[in-house]
Amino acid sequence: MDEMTQVRALRAEAPAPDRARLASGRTRLTEAARAGERHQGLWRRRELAILAVVAAVTAVAVTVTVLLGGTSPGRKVEPAGTPNASLKGLSAAQLLKQAADLVETEPDSAVPGADQWIYTLQMSEAPAAAVVEMPSWIRYDGSASASEDLARKGQRPQLIVTPLHLENGGEGDDRSPREMYQVLTALPAGGGQTLKFLRRKNAVADRAGQTRAESDYTEISVLLGAHVMTSKGLASLYRALATLPGGKVTDHLVKDVMGRRVIVLTYVRRGTLKSGEADQWLFDPQTYRITGTRMLLDGKVVGGNSTAAWAVVDKAGERG
């Protein structure tokens, strides 16, 4: 049975989302939530970044405009209206390998210029907070980021631009979108070869006590959040992730924070799914590109974001 073909059939009537919009996967919410923050965590360990997201979104959500319905603390994942029986029994490796075969055939978008900006609009969620809109901008060369302050009712938000020095190790482990793109273009095609490449590069320093698989997962997860993604690079990451243990595909489509139906791939980081910490990757069932991420604690959503828009623009504040 060709499970992925049947999945695509469920979305055959829906317009295909902008390919470039989905490339960013999970853009750092702290760029918008912490206006003026110097370090943007572009190559930062994912668990630290997502915990900062939870704190930041919880802190600001009470003052920003509510765009969608509120979320209750530690809400459970809501199944989509029509369960997808063809996902039953599909392993993480099967999903990722088939997704890799599809995405690597797609043409890449034009590479941004060094002085261009990458605009991302995120819809963010956190416990005890409303769903909020989080726009952010970052220059392709990593020399600046921008976000909007929290405007009072009836006022326009003010754009805040923060100088950065992300390239050539200027800010520790952080990297510019251009540097991350260069890594992606250098990845080998095979999953095993990609793992060896990432281990040699060791862009994210291994943590004491981590297993090799845990270190590999950290490297892959950071790169999956690149602001600009190559099709072949994404396919390489999918194939590398397919070799790691611990992944599980939810056997039905699930609604994300924007109400879109997505495929959910879960990786437990610590403990178990019901009593521990886990990541969820949200895939568009038509394009197999990542549209968002969630963090779970004890089986409940405690933070996350979904990409609503993405564009390359000429200056901060533009939205494409």
Side-chain angles (χ1 to χ4, degrees):
M1 178 182 296
D2 186 350
E3 295 91 346
M4 306 314 291
T5 298
Q6 294 192 21
V7 174
R8 282 197 292 272
L10 291 174
R11 288 287 303 273
E13 77 286 352
D18 182 358
R19 195 198 68 77
R21 168 177 65 81
L22 302 175
S24 65
R26 49 184 169 76
T27 307
R28 286 14 178 209
L29 299 183
T30 47
E31 291 173 11
R34 294 182 175 183
E37 181 184 7
R38 182 175 179 80
H39 298 287
Q40 300 304 312
L42 297 177
W43 204 284
R44 180 173 299 167
R45 292 183 184 276
R46 185 171 187 275
E47 62 268 32
L48 298 181
I50 196 70
L51 289 174
V53 168
V54 174
V57 175
T58 302
V60 303
V62 294
T63 58
V64 297
T65 302
V66 177
L67 299 179
L68 299 178
T71 58
S72 61
R75 70 176 182 82
K76 295 184 177 180
V77 175
E78 180 184 0
T82 305
N84 178 28
S86 66
L87 288 175
K88 292 184 181 298
L90 189 68
S91 70
Q94 289 173 323
L95 171 69
L96 290 164
K97 288 177 181 177
Q98 294 184 60
D101 290 343
L102 175 67
V103 300
E104 74 174 352
T105 65
E106 299 177 356
D108 289 326
S109 300
V111 179
D115 60 348
Q116 288 187 297
W117 295 72
I118 301 163
Y119 159 68
T120 308
L121 178 64
Q122 300 278 4
M123 303 298 290
S124 309
E125 58 179 312
V131 177
V132 297
E133 179 183 279
M134 308 288 282
S136 63
W137 295 260
I138 185 165
R139 263 183 59 132
Y140 185 60
D141 65 3
S143 63
S145 67
S147 60
E148 292 179 345
D149 68 354
L150 303 178
R152 294 183 179 180
K153 186 175 181 180
Q155 295 181 340
R156 293 176 62 86
Q158 180 182 357
L159 185 70
I160 300 175
V161 178
T162 304
L164 296 171
H165 304 281
L166 295 179
E167 295 204 332
N168 301 314
E171 302 208 22
D173 284 343
D174 293 351
R175 297 292 184 268
S176 71
R178 177 166 61 183
E179 287 177 318
M180 294 184 77
Y181 184 85
Q182 291 168 349
V183 172
L184 290 165
T185 59
L187 292 178
Q193 294 92 331
T194 294
L195 288 180
K196 291 179 181 179
F197 177 91
L198 294 176
R199 288 166 186 166
R200 289 197 306 269
K201 190 170 184 65
N202 197 30
V204 181
D206 295 340
R207 176 190 291 175
Q210 272 192 327
T211 66
R212 169 164 283 189
E214 289 170 341
S215 297
D216 289 340
Y217 178 79
T218 298
E219 296 273 1
I220 293 169
S221 65
V222 171
L223 281 169
L224 283 173
H227 288 84
V228 184
M229 184 74 70
T230 73
S231 296
K232 290 184 178 179
L234 179 57
S236 295
L237 293 176
Y238 282 170
R239 292 188 179 112
L241 188 56
T243 70
L244 301 184
K248 182 179 180 181
V249 180
T250 300
D251 64 3
H252 55 265
L253 296 177
V254 172
K255 287 184 180 179
D256 69 5
V257 71
M258 299 174 64
R260 300 175 301 193
R261 295 163 67 192
V262 295
I263 298 172
V264 177
L265 176 61
T266 302
Y267 276 86
V268 176
R269 280 188 170 272
R270 297 177 183 86
T272 66
L273 182 58
K274 292 185 178 181
S275 181
E277 184 179 319
D279 295 336
Q280 286 190 331
W281 301 90
L282 312 182
F283 292 78
D284 185 285
Q286 193 171 25
T287 66
Y288 304 117
R289 288 180 177 265
I290 295 171
T291 64
T293 57
R294 289 172 172 154
M295 182 176 180
L296 305 184
L297 287 179
D298 300 333
K300 297 181 180 179
V301 177
V302 295
N305 61 284
S306 292
T307 303
W310 186 100
V312 175
V313 297
D314 292 329
K315 63 181 180 180
E318 290 184 348
R319 302 196 178 206

